[in-house]
Amino acid sequence: LPLQETDREDFLRFAGQTGFSDSQMQLRAIEQSAQLLGATRERLEREHGEKSRMAVGLGAMGGLLLILVFL
């Protein structure tokens, strides 16, 4: 699977918390898991943006290098 170890642990932790007989406790567990997933999503979106900018920069530098080599 393309999941990291922390993603698997978060999923298994959530799956283990769904056995509460009290609906309020189960709702809190679901909300807490949703907050963890939201934080992970935000972190991954930031990383994706940084990697995209780096790829564009490397592509431009590679193009400039080819121009210099062919001249």
Side-chain angles (χ1 to χ4, degrees), residues 49-70:
E50 293 170 3
K51 289 178 183 178
S52 295
R53 284 191 298 275
M54 184 177 63
V56 169
L58 288 174
M61 286 190 289
L64 290 173
L65 178 66
L66 284 175
I67 289 171
L68 291 173
V69 167
F70 288 131

mmCIF file of all heavy atoms in Angstrom, residues 49-70:
data_model
loop_
_atom_site.group_PDB
_atom_site.id
_atom_site.type_symbol
_atom_site.label_atom_id
_atom_site.label_comp_id
_atom_site.label_asym_id
_atom_site.label_seq_id
_atom_site.Cartn_x
_atom_site.Cartn_y
_atom_site.Cartn_z
ATOM 1 N N GLY A 49 3.105 21.408 -2.365
ATOM 2 C CA GLY A 49 3.376 22.714 -2.960
ATOM 3 C C GLY A 49 4.861 23.010 -3.035
ATOM 4 O O GLY A 49 5.362 23.524 -4.050
ATOM 5 N N GLU A 50 5.582 22.675 -1.979
ATOM 6 C CA GLU A 50 7.029 22.895 -1.966
ATOM 7 C C GLU A 50 7.724 22.037 -3.016
ATOM 8 O O GLU A 50 8.628 22.500 -3.720
ATOM 9 C CB GLU A 50 7.590 22.595 -0.580
ATOM 10 C CG GLU A 50 7.134 23.568 0.493
ATOM 11 C CD GLU A 50 7.499 23.119 1.890
ATOM 12 O OE1 GLU A 50 8.160 22.066 2.030
ATOM 13 O OE2 GLU A 50 7.113 23.810 2.843
ATOM 14 N N LYS A 51 7.312 20.803 -3.139
ATOM 15 C CA LYS A 51 7.927 19.908 -4.121
ATOM 16 C C LYS A 51 7.617 20.358 -5.539
ATOM 17 O O LYS A 51 8.465 20.239 -6.427
ATOM 18 C CB LYS A 51 7.445 18.472 -3.898
ATOM 19 C CG LYS A 51 8.015 17.838 -2.647
ATOM 20 C CD LYS A 51 7.472 16.437 -2.438
ATOM 21 C CE LYS A 51 8.001 15.844 -1.145
ATOM 22 N NZ LYS A 51 7.455 14.506 -0.900
ATOM 23 N N SER A 52 6.426 20.898 -5.762
ATOM 24 C CA SER A 52 6.071 21.381 -7.094
ATOM 25 C C SER A 52 6.941 22.571 -7.482
ATOM 26 O O SER A 52 7.422 22.643 -8.624
ATOM 27 C CB SER A 52 4.596 21.793 -7.140
ATOM 28 O OG SER A 52 3.765 20.692 -6.935
ATOM 29 N N ARG A 53 7.134 23.501 -6.563
ATOM 30 C CA ARG A 53 7.986 24.650 -6.847
ATOM 31 C C ARG A 53 9.421 24.207 -7.117
ATOM 32 O O ARG A 53 10.088 24.731 -8.006
ATOM 33 C CB ARG A 53 7.952 25.640 -5.688
ATOM 34 C CG ARG A 53 6.681 26.464 -5.647
ATOM 35 C CD ARG A 53 6.791 27.609 -4.666
ATOM 36 N NE ARG A 53 7.002 27.183 -3.291
ATOM 37 C CZ ARG A 53 6.052 26.831 -2.443
ATOM 38 N NH1 ARG A 53 4.801 26.853 -2.828
ATOM 39 N NH2 ARG A 53 6.349 26.474 -1.215
ATOM 40 N N MET A 54 9.893 23.231 -6.364
ATOM 41 C CA MET A 54 11.248 22.745 -6.565
ATOM 42 C C MET A 54 11.380 22.082 -7.934
ATOM 43 O O MET A 54 12.374 22.284 -8.640
ATOM 44 C CB MET A 54 11.634 21.747 -5.470
ATOM 45 C CG MET A 54 13.067 21.273 -5.574
ATOM 46 S SD MET A 54 13.575 20.155 -4.257
ATOM 47 C CE MET A 54 12.508 18.776 -4.514
ATOM 48 N N ALA A 55 10.379 21.315 -8.353
ATOM 49 C CA ALA A 55 10.430 20.654 -9.655
ATOM 50 C C ALA A 55 10.453 21.672 -10.783
ATOM 51 O O ALA A 55 11.195 21.505 -11.766
ATOM 52 C CB ALA A 55 9.236 19.716 -9.808
ATOM 53 N N VAL A 56 9.666 22.739 -10.657
ATOM 54 C CA VAL A 56 9.668 23.780 -11.692
ATOM 55 C C VAL A 56 11.036 24.454 -11.745
ATOM 56 O O VAL A 56 11.584 24.696 -12.829
ATOM 57 C CB VAL A 56 8.546 24.809 -11.424
ATOM 58 C CG1 VAL A 56 8.698 26.034 -12.303
ATOM 59 C CG2 VAL A 56 7.184 24.167 -11.631
ATOM 60 N N GLY A 57 11.609 24.761 -10.598
ATOM 61 C CA GLY A 57 12.932 25.388 -10.554
ATOM 62 C C GLY A 57 14.008 24.508 -11.154
ATOM 63 O O GLY A 57 14.860 24.968 -11.923
ATOM 64 N N LEU A 58 13.984 23.230 -10.831
ATOM 65 C CA LEU A 58 14.975 22.306 -11.385
ATOM 66 C C LEU A 58 14.805 22.152 -12.889
ATOM 67 O O LEU A 58 15.792 22.047 -13.627
ATOM 68 C CB LEU A 58 14.879 20.945 -10.693
ATOM 69 C CG LEU A 58 15.385 20.897 -9.256
ATOM 70 C CD1 LEU A 58 15.093 19.528 -8.653
ATOM 71 C CD2 LEU A 58 16.868 21.195 -9.189
ATOM 72 N N GLY A 59 13.571 22.155 -13.358
ATOM 73 C CA GLY A 59 13.330 22.062 -14.797
ATOM 74 C C GLY A 59 13.876 23.278 -15.530
ATOM 75 O O GLY A 59 14.482 23.155 -16.596
ATOM 76 N N ALA A 60 13.657 24.452 -14.955
ATOM 77 C CA ALA A 60 14.165 25.680 -15.575
ATOM 78 C C ALA A 60 15.695 25.688 -15.586
ATOM 79 O O ALA A 60 16.317 26.044 -16.592
ATOM 80 C CB ALA A 60 13.627 26.892 -14.831
ATOM 81 N N MET A 61 16.302 25.289 -14.483
ATOM 82 C CA MET A 61 17.766 25.257 -14.433
ATOM 83 C C MET A 61 18.328 24.224 -15.409
ATOM 84 O O MET A 61 19.359 24.453 -16.044
ATOM 85 C CB MET A 61 18.249 24.961 -13.013
ATOM 86 C CG MET A 61 18.101 26.143 -12.079
ATOM 87 S SD MET A 61 18.917 25.898 -10.494
ATOM 88 C CE MET A 61 17.861 24.684 -9.740
ATOM 89 N N GLY A 62 17.654 23.094 -15.541
ATOM 90 C CA GLY A 62 18.092 22.080 -16.501
ATOM 91 C C GLY A 62 18.007 22.594 -17.924
ATOM 92 O O GLY A 62 18.893 22.339 -18.750
ATOM 93 N N GLY A 63 16.928 23.343 -18.232
ATOM 94 C CA GLY A 63 16.802 23.940 -19.557
ATOM 95 C C GLY A 63 17.899 24.946 -19.843
ATOM 96 O O GLY A 63 18.464 24.972 -20.938
ATOM 97 N N LEU A 64 18.210 25.773 -18.846
ATOM 98 C CA LEU A 64 19.297 26.739 -19.019
ATOM 99 C C LEU A 64 20.639 26.035 -19.216
ATOM 100 O O LEU A 64 21.465 26.465 -20.025
ATOM 101 C CB LEU A 64 19.368 27.682 -17.822
ATOM 102 C CG LEU A 64 18.216 28.679 -17.694
ATOM 103 C CD1 LEU A 64 18.317 29.439 -16.366
ATOM 104 C CD2 LEU A 64 18.222 29.638 -18.865
ATOM 105 N N LEU A 65 20.860 24.963 -18.510
ATOM 106 C CA LEU A 65 22.098 24.198 -18.662
ATOM 107 C C LEU A 65 22.201 23.624 -20.072
ATOM 108 O O LEU A 65 23.278 23.672 -20.688
ATOM 109 C CB LEU A 65 22.178 23.088 -17.619
ATOM 110 C CG LEU A 65 23.402 22.183 -17.695
ATOM 111 C CD1 LEU A 65 24.651 22.997 -17.362
ATOM 112 C CD2 LEU A 65 23.253 21.010 -16.755
ATOM 113 N N LEU A 66 21.101 23.112 -20.595
ATOM 114 C CA LEU A 66 21.123 22.585 -21.970
ATOM 115 C C LEU A 66 21.409 23.687 -22.990
ATOM 116 O O LEU A 66 22.150 23.462 -23.952
ATOM 117 C CB LEU A 66 19.789 21.904 -22.294
ATOM 118 C CG LEU A 66 19.572 20.531 -21.690
ATOM 119 C CD1 LEU A 66 18.177 20.033 -21.982
ATOM 120 C CD2 LEU A 66 20.610 19.548 -22.215
ATOM 121 N N ILE A 67 20.854 24.871 -22.770
ATOM 122 C CA ILE A 67 21.126 25.971 -23.671
ATOM 123 C C ILE A 67 22.614 26.309 -23.665
ATOM 124 O O ILE A 67 23.231 26.503 -24.714
ATOM 125 C CB ILE A 67 20.275 27.204 -23.297
ATOM 126 C CG1 ILE A 67 18.815 26.945 -23.646
ATOM 127 C CG2 ILE A 67 20.766 28.459 -24.008
ATOM 128 C CD1 ILE A 67 17.868 28.002 -23.132
ATOM 129 N N LEU A 68 23.206 26.347 -22.484
ATOM 130 C CA LEU A 68 24.634 26.655 -22.372
ATOM 131 C C LEU A 68 25.495 25.575 -23.014
ATOM 132 O O LEU A 68 26.519 25.858 -23.638
ATOM 133 C CB LEU A 68 25.037 26.850 -20.918
ATOM 134 C CG LEU A 68 24.495 28.106 -20.236
ATOM 135 C CD1 LEU A 68 24.845 28.085 -18.745
ATOM 136 C CD2 LEU A 68 25.053 29.347 -20.901
ATOM 137 N N VAL A 69 25.098 24.331 -22.874
ATOM 138 C CA VAL A 69 25.871 23.219 -23.437
ATOM 139 C C VAL A 69 25.813 23.262 -24.959
ATOM 140 O O VAL A 69 26.827 23.038 -25.628
ATOM 141 C CB VAL A 69 25.355 21.875 -22.898
ATOM 142 C CG1 VAL A 69 25.912 20.697 -23.687
ATOM 143 C CG2 VAL A 69 25.690 21.739 -21.427
ATOM 144 N N PHE A 70 24.650 23.572 -25.536
ATOM 145 C CA PHE A 70 24.494 23.569 -26.979
ATOM 146 C C PHE A 70 25.070 24.805 -27.649
ATOM 147 O O PHE A 70 25.236 24.846 -28.856
ATOM 148 C CB PHE A 70 23.042 23.387 -27.385
ATOM 149 C CG PHE A 70 22.537 21.989 -27.140
ATOM 150 C CD1 PHE A 70 21.349 21.777 -26.483
ATOM 151 C CD2 PHE A 70 23.254 20.878 -27.569
ATOM 152 C CE1 PHE A 70 20.874 20.500 -26.239
ATOM 153 C CE2 PHE A 70 22.795 19.592 -27.338
ATOM 154 C CZ PHE A 70 21.601 19.411 -26.667
#
